[in-house]
Amino acid sequence: MKTLFSIVLCTFSFCYFAQKFYQVSYPGKYGLKDKKGKVLIKPKYDKVGRFSEGFASVQIGDKMSFINSLGKEIIPFGTYSYVGYFEKGICAVNVGGNLAEFNQVEWGAQESSGKWGFIDKTGKVVIPIKYDWVFGFKGDFAVYKLKNRWGFIDKKGEEVIPAKYDLIQSDIFDFSEDKLYMVRLNNKNSYLDRNGKEICPIIYDELFGFKKENGLSKVRIDKHFGYINKKGETIIQVKYEEISNFSQVIVAKLNNKWGIIDSLEKIIIPFEFDNLDRRSDDPILASKNNKWGCIDLKGNELIKFKYDLIRPFENGLAPVKLNEKWGFMDVNGNEIIPLIYDDTRMDYANDKKLKVTKEGKTFYINKTGEEIK
C-alpha cells in the first residue's frame, strides 16, 4: 500500500533561532550574531542548523559537528556522518552514512546508509550506534529500525517495544499533544500511542491521519471507508464506498448511491442519487437518472433535474450543460448567461473569470455575457 506519509528527521534553519541568535554571513559562509548585532561566531560554516537546548548543528563540506552559544564545537568534525538536534538532552547521530542523502528535503522510504544511535550533550554515546534508522524522542520513547523491523526504544537504550512492525510512522497530519504513531504489519495498519500500545486492532488497509479539528481519522478496509477516534472506537461505520470529510453533514456513497448523513450517522438525505456534490452553503449539486439539478439539506428540489451536467458554484454562478451547449446559472436556477457555448469554465488562474468557447474561439465574458479582455 502506498503511504501518504514520509518522515523528515531534521531540517536546517538559516535566519532566526529560538535563543535569539541570528545568522551572519559572508559569501557562502555562515556564523552567528546576537540581537544587538555582536558577532559571536565569525562566518566559517557552510550551514548552521537551528538551536535546540543550547546547541546547533554546523557543517563544513560533508562534515558535521555541534556548537554551543559561545561557538565551541563539542565533537570533532568527521566523528559522525550526520547529527540531528537535541531533544531532552540527547541527539540522533549517524556513522558511515552519506550526508547528501540525509539533507534531502523529504525521505519517502525510511532507508539510509550507515548506522544510527544517540549521544548526550558532551558527545558521549548513550544509545549504541547500531540501528538502521531512528526518529528523535517524543516523550519517553523513540522509534528505531533494526533488521527491517520497527520498534520503540527508551532513553536507557532498552528496546521496550520489540522490532516487530513492518513500519512505524509519525502521523504528520496530527498536531495535537497526544499525537499517535501509524504502524503496519502484514500489510494491515493501526495506531500506537506514545507508550507503544495499539489503540485498535491491526485491521485497516489505509489510514488517513487524525485531524486536529475533530480528533478523528478516516480509515479504509477493502473498498469501504469510515471514521475512528483516538480510542480506536468506530464513530462512522466502515461501510461506505466513498465518504467526505467529517463534519455535521457528511456526503457518502452506499450501495452505489449517494446520500447525506450527520455526525451520528443518521440519514439526512436518502441514498438515492447517482452523484452528490456539496460545497459550503451553495445548493447541493445532485444527479438522478442521468440528469442534474440542485437540492437543499432537507432533500427539497431547488433546481429541476433537467441538465446534462452542472459544475460547482463559484461567486454565485455555476456552469450548466443542456443539449450539448453550455451557459451559466445563479443559485436560484436562473440562466443568466444563455446556453449557447461549446464549453464554459471558471478560470481559477485568472480570478475566476468566466471562460467560454464558441465556434473554436476561447475568450472571457462578464455576467451579462459581454466579451471582456
Side-chain angles (χ1 to χ4, degrees), residues 139-158:
D140 295 327
F141 303 105
V143 176
Y144 72 90
K145 181 182 181 183
L146 186 62
K147 297 180 179 179
N148 214 33
R149 290 289 183 268
W150 296 78
F152 275 20
I153 193 170
D154 67 15
K155 293 175 184 176
K156 297 178 181 179
E158 296 180 2

mmCIF file of all heavy atoms in Angstrom, residues 139-158:
data_model
loop_
_atom_site.group_PDB
_atom_site.id
_atom_site.type_symbol
_atom_site.label_atom_id
_atom_site.label_comp_id
_atom_site.label_asym_id
_atom_site.label_seq_id
_atom_site.Cartn_x
_atom_site.Cartn_y
_atom_site.Cartn_z
ATOM 1 N N GLY A 139 8.369 12.291 23.958
ATOM 2 C CA GLY A 139 8.052 11.728 25.254
ATOM 3 C C GLY A 139 9.208 10.862 25.724
ATOM 4 O O GLY A 139 10.384 11.235 25.609
ATOM 5 N N ASP A 140 8.893 9.678 26.210
ATOM 6 C CA ASP A 140 9.926 8.803 26.788
ATOM 7 C C ASP A 140 10.521 7.825 25.793
ATOM 8 O O ASP A 140 11.449 7.091 26.127
ATOM 9 C CB ASP A 140 9.333 8.011 27.959
ATOM 10 C CG ASP A 140 8.926 8.918 29.114
ATOM 11 O OD1 ASP A 140 9.600 9.949 29.308
ATOM 12 O OD2 ASP A 140 7.938 8.598 29.794
ATOM 13 N N PHE A 141 9.993 7.800 24.553
ATOM 14 C CA PHE A 141 10.416 6.767 23.613
ATOM 15 C C PHE A 141 10.793 7.349 22.256
ATOM 16 O O PHE A 141 10.344 8.425 21.866
ATOM 17 C CB PHE A 141 9.309 5.724 23.423
ATOM 18 C CG PHE A 141 8.864 5.076 24.702
ATOM 19 C CD1 PHE A 141 7.655 5.414 25.292
ATOM 20 C CD2 PHE A 141 9.664 4.140 25.334
ATOM 21 C CE1 PHE A 141 7.247 4.836 26.478
ATOM 22 C CE2 PHE A 141 9.274 3.554 26.525
ATOM 23 C CZ PHE A 141 8.060 3.897 27.098
ATOM 24 N N ALA A 142 11.644 6.603 21.550
ATOM 25 C CA ALA A 142 11.986 6.919 20.166
ATOM 26 C C ALA A 142 11.720 5.683 19.319
ATOM 27 O O ALA A 142 11.764 4.545 19.809
ATOM 28 C CB ALA A 142 13.450 7.330 20.054
ATOM 29 N N VAL A 143 11.468 5.906 18.050
ATOM 30 C CA VAL A 143 11.239 4.803 17.111
ATOM 31 C C VAL A 143 12.578 4.377 16.513
ATOM 32 O O VAL A 143 13.414 5.218 16.188
ATOM 33 C CB VAL A 143 10.282 5.250 15.990
ATOM 34 C CG1 VAL A 143 10.109 4.139 14.953
ATOM 35 C CG2 VAL A 143 8.931 5.642 16.574
ATOM 36 N N TYR A 144 12.782 3.067 16.397
ATOM 37 C CA TYR A 144 14.004 2.565 15.779
ATOM 38 C C TYR A 144 13.675 1.492 14.749
ATOM 39 O O TYR A 144 12.612 0.865 14.776
ATOM 40 C CB TYR A 144 14.956 1.998 16.834
ATOM 41 C CG TYR A 144 14.517 0.677 17.432
ATOM 42 C CD1 TYR A 144 14.904 -0.538 16.855
ATOM 43 C CD2 TYR A 144 13.717 0.625 18.577
ATOM 44 C CE1 TYR A 144 14.509 -1.755 17.405
ATOM 45 C CE2 TYR A 144 13.321 -0.583 19.127
ATOM 46 C CZ TYR A 144 13.717 -1.766 18.538
ATOM 47 O OH TYR A 144 13.312 -2.970 19.070
ATOM 48 N N LYS A 145 14.627 1.290 13.841
ATOM 49 C CA LYS A 145 14.516 0.236 12.828
ATOM 50 C C LYS A 145 15.746 -0.643 12.918
ATOM 51 O O LYS A 145 16.882 -0.156 12.962
ATOM 52 C CB LYS A 145 14.413 0.847 11.430
ATOM 53 C CG LYS A 145 14.266 -0.181 10.307
ATOM 54 C CD LYS A 145 14.229 0.519 8.948
ATOM 55 C CE LYS A 145 14.046 -0.493 7.823
ATOM 56 N NZ LYS A 145 14.072 0.177 6.489
ATOM 57 N N LEU A 146 15.519 -1.955 12.957
ATOM 58 C CA LEU A 146 16.609 -2.911 13.063
ATOM 59 C C LEU A 146 16.238 -4.170 12.295
ATOM 60 O O LEU A 146 15.170 -4.748 12.525
ATOM 61 C CB LEU A 146 16.902 -3.249 14.535
ATOM 62 C CG LEU A 146 18.115 -4.128 14.821
ATOM 63 C CD1 LEU A 146 19.404 -3.442 14.365
ATOM 64 C CD2 LEU A 146 18.184 -4.473 16.304
ATOM 65 N N LYS A 147 17.093 -4.561 11.359
ATOM 66 C CA LYS A 147 16.868 -5.750 10.533
ATOM 67 C C LYS A 147 15.499 -5.698 9.862
ATOM 68 O O LYS A 147 14.734 -6.668 9.854
ATOM 69 C CB LYS A 147 17.027 -7.024 11.363
ATOM 70 C CG LYS A 147 18.434 -7.221 11.922
ATOM 71 C CD LYS A 147 18.552 -8.497 12.727
ATOM 72 C CE LYS A 147 19.969 -8.665 13.251
ATOM 73 N NZ LYS A 147 20.125 -9.904 14.079
ATOM 74 N N ASN A 148 15.203 -4.512 9.336
ATOM 75 C CA ASN A 148 13.989 -4.280 8.548
ATOM 76 C C ASN A 148 12.703 -4.382 9.355
ATOM 77 O O ASN A 148 11.624 -4.560 8.788
ATOM 78 C CB ASN A 148 13.917 -5.244 7.350
ATOM 79 C CG ASN A 148 13.265 -4.590 6.149
ATOM 80 O OD1 ASN A 148 13.406 -3.382 5.932
ATOM 81 N ND2 ASN A 148 12.526 -5.359 5.373
ATOM 82 N N ARG A 149 12.808 -4.267 10.670
ATOM 83 C CA ARG A 149 11.628 -4.244 11.534
ATOM 84 C C ARG A 149 11.720 -3.022 12.440
ATOM 85 O O ARG A 149 12.796 -2.497 12.703
ATOM 86 C CB ARG A 149 11.516 -5.529 12.374
ATOM 87 C CG ARG A 149 11.158 -6.760 11.547
ATOM 88 C CD ARG A 149 9.718 -6.690 11.075
ATOM 89 N NE ARG A 149 9.294 -7.864 10.343
ATOM 90 C CZ ARG A 149 9.369 -7.986 9.015
ATOM 91 N NH1 ARG A 149 9.890 -7.003 8.302
ATOM 92 N NH2 ARG A 149 8.947 -9.068 8.410
ATOM 93 N N TRP A 150 10.555 -2.605 12.962
ATOM 94 C CA TRP A 150 10.463 -1.360 13.715
ATOM 95 C C TRP A 150 9.959 -1.588 15.131
ATOM 96 O O TRP A 150 9.115 -2.462 15.371
ATOM 97 C CB TRP A 150 9.502 -0.397 13.016
ATOM 98 C CG TRP A 150 9.962 0.033 11.654
ATOM 99 C CD1 TRP A 150 9.880 -0.687 10.498
ATOM 100 C CD2 TRP A 150 10.562 1.272 11.304
ATOM 101 N NE1 TRP A 150 10.388 0.028 9.455
ATOM 102 C CE2 TRP A 150 10.818 1.238 9.912
ATOM 103 C CE3 TRP A 150 10.907 2.404 12.034
ATOM 104 C CZ2 TRP A 150 11.395 2.309 9.233
ATOM 105 C CZ3 TRP A 150 11.481 3.472 11.348
ATOM 106 C CH2 TRP A 150 11.724 3.417 9.971
ATOM 107 N N GLY A 151 10.487 -0.782 16.084
ATOM 108 C CA GLY A 151 10.044 -0.864 17.466
ATOM 109 C C GLY A 151 10.283 0.452 18.190
ATOM 110 O O GLY A 151 10.592 1.472 17.568
ATOM 111 N N PHE A 152 10.152 0.440 19.532
ATOM 112 C CA PHE A 152 10.368 1.615 20.385
ATOM 113 C C PHE A 152 11.549 1.364 21.309
ATOM 114 O O PHE A 152 11.737 0.250 21.805
ATOM 115 C CB PHE A 152 9.133 1.880 21.251
ATOM 116 C CG PHE A 152 8.060 2.685 20.575
ATOM 117 C CD1 PHE A 152 7.989 2.792 19.202
ATOM 118 C CD2 PHE A 152 7.102 3.345 21.338
ATOM 119 C CE1 PHE A 152 6.990 3.527 18.589
ATOM 120 C CE2 PHE A 152 6.099 4.082 20.744
ATOM 121 C CZ PHE A 152 6.048 4.178 19.363
ATOM 122 N N ILE A 153 12.317 2.425 21.557
ATOM 123 C CA ILE A 153 13.453 2.350 22.470
ATOM 124 C C ILE A 153 13.332 3.463 23.501
ATOM 125 O O ILE A 153 12.804 4.540 23.196
ATOM 126 C CB ILE A 153 14.781 2.474 21.681
ATOM 127 C CG1 ILE A 153 15.977 2.097 22.531
ATOM 128 C CG2 ILE A 153 14.946 3.876 21.095
ATOM 129 C CD1 ILE A 153 17.252 1.968 21.726
ATOM 130 N N ASP A 154 13.777 3.197 24.749
ATOM 131 C CA ASP A 154 13.731 4.269 25.754
ATOM 132 C C ASP A 154 15.107 4.927 25.867
ATOM 133 O O ASP A 154 16.057 4.556 25.171
ATOM 134 C CB ASP A 154 13.231 3.745 27.101
ATOM 135 C CG ASP A 154 14.182 2.763 27.767
ATOM 136 O OD1 ASP A 154 15.363 2.682 27.356
ATOM 137 O OD2 ASP A 154 13.750 2.061 28.701
ATOM 138 N N LYS A 155 15.225 5.906 26.778
ATOM 139 C CA LYS A 155 16.458 6.692 26.875
ATOM 140 C C LYS A 155 17.619 5.923 27.492
ATOM 141 O O LYS A 155 18.764 6.383 27.459
ATOM 142 C CB LYS A 155 16.189 7.968 27.666
ATOM 143 C CG LYS A 155 15.262 8.917 26.928
ATOM 144 C CD LYS A 155 14.905 10.111 27.774
ATOM 145 C CE LYS A 155 13.894 10.981 27.042
ATOM 146 N NZ LYS A 155 13.454 12.121 27.877
ATOM 147 N N LYS A 156 17.321 4.748 28.031
ATOM 148 C CA LYS A 156 18.388 3.895 28.544
ATOM 149 C C LYS A 156 18.908 2.943 27.470
ATOM 150 O O LYS A 156 19.822 2.164 27.721
ATOM 151 C CB LYS A 156 17.887 3.094 29.746
ATOM 152 C CG LYS A 156 17.488 3.956 30.944
ATOM 153 C CD LYS A 156 16.968 3.088 32.073
ATOM 154 C CE LYS A 156 16.543 3.931 33.273
ATOM 155 N NZ LYS A 156 16.023 3.089 34.376
ATOM 156 N N GLY A 157 18.286 3.005 26.307
ATOM 157 C CA GLY A 157 18.684 2.115 25.224
ATOM 158 C C GLY A 157 17.974 0.779 25.251
ATOM 159 O O GLY A 157 18.310 -0.121 24.473
ATOM 160 N N GLU A 158 16.985 0.629 26.153
ATOM 161 C CA GLU A 158 16.236 -0.626 26.230
ATOM 162 C C GLU A 158 15.139 -0.641 25.161
ATOM 163 O O GLU A 158 14.395 0.328 25.007
ATOM 164 C CB GLU A 158 15.630 -0.793 27.614
ATOM 165 C CG GLU A 158 16.667 -0.919 28.718
ATOM 166 C CD GLU A 158 16.030 -1.083 30.084
ATOM 167 O OE1 GLU A 158 14.781 -1.127 30.141
ATOM 168 O OE2 GLU A 158 16.769 -1.158 31.086
#
